[in-house]
Amino acid sequence: MSALLWVAGFALSVPFTLSVPTVAQAVEAATKPHDGVALGQAEVAGLAEQLAQKLSGADVIVLGEVHDNAQHHALQSQLVQVLQPSAVVWEMITQAQAETLTPELLLSSERTAQALDWDTSGWPDFALYAPVFQAAANVPHYGALVPRAASQAALQAGVASHFGADAARFGLDRPLAEAEQAEREADQLANHCNAMPAEMLPMLVDFQRLRDTSLAAVAERAFIQKGGPVVVITGNGHARTDRGLPVYLSRAAPDLVIHSLGQMEAGQISGVFDLLANAPAVDRPDSCLAFSNSK
């Protein structure tokens, strides 16, 4: 993995600025509040060109996102066009769904959303993702979403069971270190507004590991079948190089070169990435109100 790179382009008007500070400087910059400004299409395209220069050469390129941030998807779309991947792996769809996608279908956002049954999927408005799908219209698609029944079975039997003999390759044959398990459970509690029963937290951590490993396994399969670069579209949590899919993929296929982009909102992000891009935060309702109202 390369040193953490601070990319300020999403918070600035042109000309863009790129720098390679020390890790400590980059982390300090990334945690400072910064509202940023929205960029136009040409400016996003310029940023994508600069980022692509840093991402190119990797076998697997992970493009993180905050799911409902339109600028994150705009940058992903531009990066797909510049990087010209051999395959795209999606966190949001199953392999069965991915196999229904054809170049002709992908030219129509409405037909693509219908084919993926997007309206009932629980993901944000398909209009956010449509540019990314269309940018990859002529690229093979892979789905890493574990179907609900399979997820439930894996959580009951242990996440390693879902991967069979490959579980050891990805490191699922052993538990997390005690300190990391505690840290992850604390993160899950905070992510759920401190309203989740303590006995549920280990299951939430297991679910995250299941999804991380599924993404890693599908990315590896896509690379074996199609060559590189493989682009993975996923949330920032799965893109983290300190605990996300890059960790599991590196264990299973240590010779693969993996680069990961994390996309911040207003300079705020959790985790470690190879590259960072910053965009304005989305104005959204307080997600913790749902927990307050349920009491």
Side-chain angles (χ1 to χ4, degrees):
M1 298 292 180
S2 61
L4 189 65
L5 177 69
W6 165 251
V7 179
F10 245 25
L12 301 174
S13 59
V14 290
F16 299 110
T17 59
L18 287 170
S19 60
V20 186
T22 66
V23 172
Q25 289 170 332
V27 171
E28 180 183 4
T31 55
K32 287 181 179 178
H34 196 312
D35 290 337
V37 295
L39 297 184
Q41 183 176 356
E43 295 166 323
V44 174
L47 176 58
E49 290 281 354
Q50 295 183 61
L51 283 169
Q53 293 178 16
K54 301 294 182 181
L55 293 166
S56 62
D59 300 311
V60 176
I61 299 170
V62 187
L63 302 181
E65 65 182 46
V66 175
H67 297 308
D68 62 349
N69 191 305
Q71 284 212 66
H72 289 182
H73 298 299
L75 182 57
Q76 289 173 332
S77 173
Q78 291 293 329
L79 281 168
V80 168
Q81 294 181 54
V82 176
L83 292 167
Q84 297 186 348
S86 59
V88 175
V89 175
W90 294 89
E91 173 195 353
M92 302 82 193
I93 63 176
T94 65
Q95 182 58 30
Q97 290 175 313
E99 291 171 359
T100 69
L101 300 176
T102 65
E104 295 75 21
L105 178 68
L106 288 164
L107 291 177
S108 168
S109 296
E110 183 178 355
R111 290 180 60 204
T112 303
Q114 290 174 348
L116 298 176
D117 197 20
W118 196 271
D119 287 345
T120 63
S121 69
W123 295 103
D125 193 333
F126 186 76
L128 296 169
Y129 287 88
V132 192
F133 277 100
Q134 291 185 345
N138 296 307
V139 176
H141 293 260
Y142 289 75
L145 183 66
V146 181
R148 181 175 299 178
S151 294
Q152 293 174 341
L155 292 174
Q156 291 176 356
V159 293
S161 65
H162 183 75
F163 300 94
D166 279 340
R169 293 180 58 238
F170 292 102
L172 289 177
D173 59 333
R174 53 188 182 273
L176 296 173
E178 185 175 341
E180 183 178 357
Q181 179 72 29
E183 180 182 0
R184 289 190 179 212
E185 290 185 15
D187 287 348
Q188 290 291 345
L189 183 61
N191 291 341
H192 291 84
C193 306
N194 297 313
M196 190 64 63
E199 59 270 20
M200 294 289 294
L201 299 178
M203 184 187 70
L204 294 175
V205 173
D206 284 346
F207 186 55
Q208 188 79 0
R209 295 184 77 195
L210 173 69
R211 295 171 71 187
D212 286 331
T213 308
S214 178
L215 283 159
V218 174
E220 181 187 33
R221 184 170 77 248
F223 179 81
I224 291 171
Q225 294 178 351
K226 303 298 180 181
V230 171
V231 162
V232 181
I233 303 296
T234 188
N236 284 327
H238 298 299
R240 293 174 58 160
T241 61
D242 56 336
R243 67 167 63 166
L245 80 91
V247 172
Y248 298 93
L249 184 53
S250 294
R251 288 173 181 166
D255 292 335
L256 288 183
V257 177
I258 309 164
H259 289 164
S260 181
L261 169 70
Q263 296 203 69
M264 299 178 289
E265 283 192 324
Q268 303 297 315
I269 201 165
S270 297
V272 180
F273 304 84
D274 296 306
L275 302 172
L276 289 174
N278 188 32
V282 172
D283 185 14
R284 57 178 67 89
D286 184 355
S287 60
C288 291
L289 290 177
F291 289 94
S292 300
N293 293 337
S294 65
K295 292 181 180 180

